[in-house]
Amino acid sequence: MTTITRHRAAPWWPLALAGLCHGAGAQTELPAVTVTANKQAQALDAVPAGVTVHEGEVLEAAGVTSLRALEEITPGLSFQPFGQSGIHSPVVRGLSANFFSFSTSTLLLVDGVPTLMAQGFDNSLLAIDRVEVLRGPQSTLYGRNAEAGVINIHTLAPGYAARTMLSTAFGSRGKQGLRFDLSRPLVEDTLYASVSGSWTRQHGFIDNTLNGGTADDREQGDARFALRWTPDRDTDATLRYAQQTWRDGAALWGAPAAARATVASGTPSWNHSIARTLSLDVSHAFASGLRLRSITARNEFFDRVMQDTDFRAPDTLHIGRDHRFQTLSQELRLEGSAGASQWLAGLYLDRDDHALANEQKLPLALTRSLAEQRGRTAALFTHWSVPLSAQWKVEAGARIERNELNFTPGGQPRRSADDTRFSPKLALQYQATPDSHLYASVSEGFRAGGFNVFVPAANYAAFAPETVRSFEIGTKGTLLQRRLRYAAALYRMNVRDMQVQQMPTPGVVYITNAASATSTGAEFELDYLLATGWRLQSGLAFNRTRFGTFRDGSDVYDGHRNPFAPDLNGHVGLRYDAPKGWHVQATLTATGKVYLDAANRYSRNGFGLLNLSAGKTWGAFELSAYVHNLADRRYDAVGYQNGIVTVYSPPREVGMRLTWRM
């Protein structure tokens, strides 16, 4: 959090638009980028880890309005094909988690508030300052479920500079959208407020031949409010509330044997989920140079779903969920300096309180299961950045974390599990030139264990935490008078007690610690001001995640690929901003083939997408048009849920946006 400097400033939007004119006019070098990957402000090029940063105004101008869209512009990041809004399981460097485990391998943070599972792992990227995607184990600073990385979203805080943005959108399949962001000072130099929101509605593309309509219509709403108080130069407090709602039809599912994007479903399918977050973020700078920060939060997600799973007229097979997930969290951090060294120490506490209600319809029975799951986490952590000489620096950190979990199936005795983990990290950095750095690091991460909450046949068996040890070397910096920024990294991760989803029969899903694995790979990023008005941005990630030893009964999966982990993904984007206010942009993204199960029987083929956009600015107004998936590529996940479901990919979308800023 930044302490306010008490003076008037120019409105924010001309500066934002200037930043979007990639190389236009007087821009002759790339701007400096500051991140908080290590929970302290630091230049991007000086962070000894793989980090991709997306500026909020660039995302807004490009029409990137969903968390899932980040996979198209972030090397090493993808998401499992699930087909339901509000639930996304990320895949970073080949590691992922199934949503049945109620955890993720990558942590989502929004203004310091954690989301620890796929349920609620979503964001409309509204009123964003920046998004930082950290790759590699981050458990030292961020704790459980950051074993593969962190997606850290920072929203725009209200301040002394007023801002206003209003945007409308229209597109294919009757798409309608509205986004707004309003921020004003209420009391000069003391109290500020902002309110923002979005609403999107769009018809589906999956035809229900039984009733003549579409099965998968979508409607999403988002509302955010922030109140910021700065009683003096040293104290900064922000109260935030955010809510997302979904009023969708069916998931993007169909039967593998049916005609594509066609169902004949007689069972109503819908998603009426809600996410709510309330947080208080306070920081204070002491005269001694120390800074204290506190983030107190309540994060809730209500997963309310009914879904047909045989896609036929009679109600033979369906699933239903009415889950409530609630996490209360508290983080305290103290940071300061000791000579030339920078240090940070902190305390983290959280409490989970989850109420789970599951329904499953089989041909001969309707089963309803109730359960409660409660957990507690307590952790102490520290991080140090110590210069060894003018060119050498070491960064070191450690975290000790205690997790306790209590699980109570309906009508059954309570089951308990606990675990204590020590997660160290050490990085050595060398500044080869004023504009280039080399680094090497070793770190450990882990993902929390749990219980198979809806598998009474296995006596609700527990599964242990998954652990990772990572080795990484990399380089980053700038060239050509700061007109080119580059980053490259090589890594190897050894995974122990790997959590693997098994589905022996349709509808029966459980998690076991069935495998060891290795993940090796390389990542490259490039940001280049080619010439006046021209900017090239690209990223490429190679990954090879394979099981070491994996026995599932009589089946041997040694050497198989980890589900949902592509061997390749990347993007290249080219944008031109003309001096007269118009722009054109083309982005090509590619993702390799992924398997959907540990046996590697079912898969989604690799694919490439070409996205185009163009626009013109007149004063405070901007009119733009876009085409997503120009070639109308199909990349269905055929055989999801152990062969019983196809997750359909969305078709080409064409649309327009009109935006007003002042």
Side-chain angles (χ1 to χ4, degrees):
M1 182 177 293
T2 303
T3 302
I4 289 180
T5 301
R6 295 173 180 267
H7 63 272
R8 292 295 179 189
W12 69 279
W13 65 268
L15 299 177
L17 290 179
L20 295 179
C21 296
H22 302 297
Q27 187 179 10
T28 58
E29 64 178 40
L30 292 167
V33 179
T34 300
V35 297
T36 54
N38 291 324
K39 297 196 176 184
Q40 292 174 296
Q42 195 174 12
L44 172 63
D45 298 338
V47 179
V51 184
T52 298
V53 180
H54 302 291
E55 297 295 333
E57 58 265 26
V58 176
L59 295 174
E60 187 72 32
V64 179
T65 58
S66 70
L67 192 66
R68 190 176 187 92
L70 293 180
E71 70 178 345
E72 298 181 2
I73 52 176
T74 307
L77 170 68
S78 59
F79 290 91
Q80 292 185 18
F82 186 65
Q84 178 187 317
S85 302
I87 295 183
H88 297 301
S89 189
V91 186
V92 172
R93 291 187 172 177
L95 300 187
S96 185
N98 190 274
F99 81 99
F100 288 107
S101 68
F102 302 117
S103 69
T104 58
S105 61
T106 296
L107 178 69
L108 173 64
L109 283 176
V110 182
D111 294 317
V113 180
T115 295
L116 298 159
M117 58 187 67
Q119 290 82 353
F121 203 106
D122 204 354
N123 194 277
S124 62
L125 300 181
L126 176 67
I128 297 299
D129 177 38
R130 69 187 185 279
V131 179
E132 302 173 6
V133 182
L134 289 66
R135 296 181 295 272
Q138 306 296 329
S139 293
T140 300
L141 278 174
Y142 295 95
R144 62 178 170 135
N145 301 359
E147 66 163 351
V150 173
I151 300 176
N152 200 349
I153 298 176
H154 301 267
T155 65
L156 289 168
Y160 53 82
R163 67 175 189 266
T164 303
M165 185 277 290
L166 177 65
S167 180
T168 60
F170 303 91
S172 304
R173 306 195 314 277
K175 183 175 183 178
Q176 303 172 54
L178 175 68
R179 292 167 68 88
F180 71 91
D181 177 33
L182 178 67
S183 178
R184 293 290 186 273
L186 302 180
V187 178
E188 186 175 358
D189 295 333
T190 303
L191 191 64
Y192 321 86
S194 67
V195 60
S196 56
S198 69
W199 170 81
T200 304
R201 180 170 63 189
Q202 188 173 31
H203 297 311
F205 63 92
I206 301 174
D207 294 325
N208 189 341
T209 59
L210 192 66
N211 60 25
T214 52
D216 58 317
D217 294 350
R218 293 288 185 264
E219 183 172 354
Q220 179 179 350
D222 192 343
R224 300 169 189 267
F225 172 77
L227 185 66
R228 186 179 183 188
W229 180 51
T230 57
D232 53 53
R233 294 177 60 89
D234 300 321
T235 304
D236 198 334
T238 304
L239 178 69
R240 294 183 175 92
Y241 175 78
Q243 177 172 303
Q244 296 183 83
T245 60
W246 295 269
R247 293 295 180 266
D248 294 349
L252 307 184
W253 290 8
R260 187 183 186 275
T262 300
V263 297
S265 180
T267 303
S269 296
W270 43 263
N271 172 15
H272 294 171
S273 298
I274 302 174
R276 298 191 186 112
T277 301
L278 179 65
S279 67
L280 178 62
D281 187 342
V282 182
S283 71
H284 180 76
F286 297 94
S288 63
L290 297 177
R291 177 176 291 274
L292 179 66
R293 186 172 182 183
S294 167
I295 302 176
T296 308
R298 175 174 178 169
N299 192 359
E300 289 183 307
F301 183 72
F302 298 87
D303 180 24
R304 296 167 175 165
V305 169
M306 179 66 69
Q307 177 64 49
D308 189 7
T309 54
D310 65 354
F311 316 106
R312 294 182 294 181
D315 184 9
T316 306
L317 299 172
H318 76 245
I319 56 174
R321 302 192 302 271
D322 188 2
H323 297 171
R324 185 209 68 199
F325 303 97
Q326 177 182 281
T327 299
L328 302 177
S329 62
Q330 172 66 60
E331 181 171 281
L332 291 171
R333 299 203 304 262
L334 185 67
E335 62 182 88
S337 59
S341 302
Q342 300 292 319
W343 61 267
L344 176 149
L347 166 70
Y348 174 82
L349 304 168
D350 73 28
R351 185 178 69 190
D352 295 331
D353 186 2
H354 307 328
L356 311 173
N358 206 60
E359 177 177 305
Q360 183 171 9
K361 178 67 168 63
L362 298 175
L364 299 180
L366 176 64
T367 303
R368 293 187 174 93
S369 303
L370 302 176
E372 292 183 353
Q373 186 164 288
R374 296 178 178 175
R376 293 178 183 271
T377 300
L380 295 171
F381 60 90
T382 187
H383 181 84
W384 287 74
S385 178
V386 181
L388 302 177
S389 68
Q391 294 175 296
W392 290 93
K393 181 179 69 173
V394 64
E395 292 199 356
R399 185 186 190 99
I400 185 166
E401 181 166 307
R402 172 77 173 177
N403 292 287
E404 299 177 357
L405 184 62
N406 294 313
F407 167 61
T408 308
Q412 297 287 328
R414 186 178 71 179
R415 292 158 169 79
S416 299
D418 56 71
D419 185 74
T420 301
R421 292 283 162 175
F422 177 70
S423 302
K425 182 174 184 177
L426 180 66
L428 184 64
Q429 189 170 21
Y430 174 66
Q431 186 169 354
T433 71
D435 296 318
S436 64
H437 298 79
L438 303 171
Y439 70 89
S441 69
V442 57
S443 58
E444 293 195 0
F446 75 99
R447 175 149 55 97
F451 291 90
N452 285 284
V453 299
F454 297 121
V455 191
N459 197 29
Y460 309 101
F463 50 91
E466 177 179 293
T467 60
V468 172
R469 178 170 293 171
S470 173
F471 304 90
E472 181 174 342
I473 58 173
T475 180
K476 54 178 62 177
T478 59
L479 296 169
L480 305 177
Q481 291 77 49
R482 299 190 61 85
R483 290 174 48 232
L484 185 149
R485 176 177 286 118
Y486 66 89
L490 301 174
Y491 62 87
R492 178 181 176 90
M493 300 193 297
N494 298 321
V495 187
R496 303 179 299 277
D497 294 323
M498 193 174 198
Q499 297 174 13
V500 181
Q501 173 191 316
Q502 295 297 290
M503 192 172 182
T505 60
V508 177
V509 180
Y510 66 93
I511 310 295
T512 64
N513 296 101
S516 63
T518 58
S519 172
T520 57
E523 296 159 349
F524 307 93
E525 289 188 276
L526 185 71
D527 190 353
Y528 185 24
L529 292 176
L530 292 166
T532 301
W534 290 92
R535 187 168 182 175
L536 174 72
Q537 293 179 299
S538 63
L540 184 63
F542 299 95
N543 175 265
R544 187 181 188 276
T545 302
R546 300 292 188 269
F547 297 136
T549 57
F550 185 177
R551 304 291 189 274
D552 180 31
S554 61
D555 295 321
V556 178
Y557 299 147
D558 295 4
H560 283 211
R561 290 172 54 173
N562 194 33
F564 309 111
D567 280 357
L568 169 72
N569 80 330
H571 72 280
V572 58
L574 182 64
R575 176 170 172 133
Y576 175 67
D577 286 90
K580 294 186 177 182
W582 58 270
H583 72 269
V584 292
Q585 180 170 323
T587 303
L588 177 65
T589 69
T591 300
K593 180 178 182 178
V594 299
Y595 287 99
L596 310 177
D597 63 323
N600 291 180
R601 290 187 297 263
Y602 307 106
S603 64
R604 183 191 69 186
N605 289 330
F607 61 93
L609 301 178
L610 179 60
N611 304 325
L612 304 176
S613 65
K616 180 72 168 66
T617 300
W618 296 272
F621 291 90
E622 180 184 7
L623 180 65
S624 60
Y626 68 91
V627 182
H628 189 269
N629 189 7
L630 176 68
D632 201 20
R633 292 288 188 186
R634 297 177 178 179
Y635 45 101
D636 301 341
V638 182
Y640 189 69
Q641 297 286 331
N642 206 29
I644 66 173
V645 168
T646 291
V647 182
Y648 297 124
S649 62
R652 175 174 51 225
E653 181 176 309
V654 180
M656 299 186 67
R657 292 187 299 270
L658 177 63
T659 303
W660 173 55
R661 301 180 180 91
M662 65 171 292

